[in-house]
């Protein structure tokens, strides 16, 4: 998880005068109205609601790879406000091979027909690692060769280089906007429910 600049992982949504129970009921009503969002668990008698989504974040035309996320959101109703954040077990997956991802009955992310995909790398790995390859022209067993991996080409969808410099501002914005959408959607629903501006 990338630490936010302000040091706060949670966003706080304020609903002055609303009790914790009202906010819990509002969250549950919101989830009932969003059938694509699945309640994962309700902890401690309703003090934490965990829900998940499986959604497309971006495509190859915009992001250099098709990005799909399994996202876990944690909503904590308090007196007068809700703390909400994406859980650390959220994952983004990338494919350049048009993989169609789905959730298996065992809750794993798999691709149809085993088309390759991988976990999205926010940070490009460092250069210098070598990859072994076997040349088809090296006799019966082939001739083992070694070559450096160019991570700038191998991970063009990553946001940061190994030194933390932003190399893909577009993907940074797309992913931030995607996650901000969960917070904004819940906030708009509850403000409408409670007749607040």
């Amino acid at each position: 998880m990338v630490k936010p600049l302000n040091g706060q992982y949670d966003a706080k949504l304020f609903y002055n005068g609303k009790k914790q129970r009202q906010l819990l009921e509002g969250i549950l009503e919101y989830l009932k109205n969003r059938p694509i969002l699945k309640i994962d668990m309700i902890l401690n008698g309703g003090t934490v609601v965990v829900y998940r989504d499986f959604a497309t974040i971006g495509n190859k035309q915009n992001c250099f790879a098709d990005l799909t996320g399994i996202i876990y959101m944690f909503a904590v109703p308090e007196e007068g406000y809700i703390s909400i954040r994406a859980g650390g077990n959220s994952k983004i997956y990338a494919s350049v091979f048009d993989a169609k991802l789905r959730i298996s009955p065992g809750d794993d992310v798999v691709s149809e027909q085993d088309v390759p995909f991988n976990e999205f790398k926010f940070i490009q790995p460092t250069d210098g690692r070598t990859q072994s390859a076997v040349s088809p022209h090296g006799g019966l067993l082939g001739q083992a060769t070694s070559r450096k991996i160019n991570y700038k080409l191998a991970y063009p969808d990553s946001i940061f280089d190994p030194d933390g410099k932003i190399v893909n501002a577009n993907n940074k914005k797309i992913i931030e906007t995607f996650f901000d959408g969960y917070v904004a959607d819940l906030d708009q629903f509850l403000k409408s429910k409670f007749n607040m501006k």
Side-chain angles (χ1 to χ4, degrees), residues 128-147:
R129 206 179 101 214
T130 58
Q131 176 180 7
S132 295
V134 176
S135 168
H137 307 296
L140 193 59
L141 296 176
Q143 180 179 344
T145 60
S146 182
R147 60 188 167 95

Side-chain angles (χ1 to χ4, degrees), residues 173-197:
K173 182 69 176 159
I174 287 170
I175 292 170
E176 287 172 346
T177 300
F178 173 79
F179 278 98
D180 287 348
Y182 288 106
V183 177
D185 191 47
L186 175 62
D187 189 41
Q188 289 169 359
F189 180 89
L190 293 177
K191 282 182 175 167
S192 175
K193 174 183 171 55
F194 297 134
N195 294 318
M196 298 178 148
K197 293 192 178 201

Side-chain angles (χ1 to χ4, degrees), residues 117-130:
F117 72 99
N118 209 341
E119 193 169 330
F120 175 72
K121 301 281 187 206
F122 282 89
I123 302 168
Q124 293 172 342
T126 55
D127 282 327
R129 206 179 101 214
T130 58

Side-chain angles (χ1 to χ4, degrees), residues 9-28:
Y9 288 102
D10 295 352
K12 293 203 180 344
L13 305 175
F14 292 93
Y15 308 96
N16 293 332
K18 298 301 172 193
K19 301 288 183 198
Q20 182 181 27
R21 187 83 199 153
Q22 290 175 289
L23 294 175
L24 171 61
E25 289 167 0
I27 293 167
L28 295 177

Side-chain angles (χ1 to χ4, degrees), residues 49-172:
V49 178
V50 183
Y51 56 97
R52 73 178 186 189
D53 190 13
F54 188 63
T56 299
I57 298 170
N59 58 38
K60 281 196 303 249
Q61 289 73 32
N62 298 327
C63 301
F64 296 101
D66 295 323
L67 303 180
T68 305
I70 182 162
I71 310 302
Y72 291 86
M73 297 299 293
F74 288 71
V76 181
E78 304 282 355
E79 293 293 315
Y81 71 94
I82 294 171
S83 292
I84 183 170
R85 68 176 170 87
N89 45 356
S90 298
K91 287 193 170 134
I92 298 174
Y93 298 94
S95 174
V96 295
F97 301 107
D98 301 317
K100 291 183 177 27
L101 303 183
R102 60 181 177 82
I103 307 252
S104 74
D107 277 346
D108 295 317
V109 176
V110 296
S111 70
E112 293 179 8
Q113 300 172 345
D114 289 329
V115 174
F117 72 99
N118 209 341
E119 193 169 330
F120 175 72
K121 301 281 187 206
F122 282 89
I123 302 168
Q124 293 172 342
T126 55
D127 282 327
R129 206 179 101 214
T130 58
Q131 176 180 7
S132 295
V134 176
S135 168
H137 307 296
L140 193 59
L141 296 176
Q143 180 179 344
T145 60
S146 182
R147 60 188 167 95
K148 281 195 170 189
I149 300 169
N150 184 336
Y151 287 108
K152 290 180 178 75
L153 295 176
Y155 295 93
D157 49 330
S158 295
I159 295 172
F160 303 99
D161 72 6
D163 299 320
K165 180 180 160 207
I166 295 173
V167 292
N168 192 332
N170 184 58
N171 278 12
K172 181 176 184 293

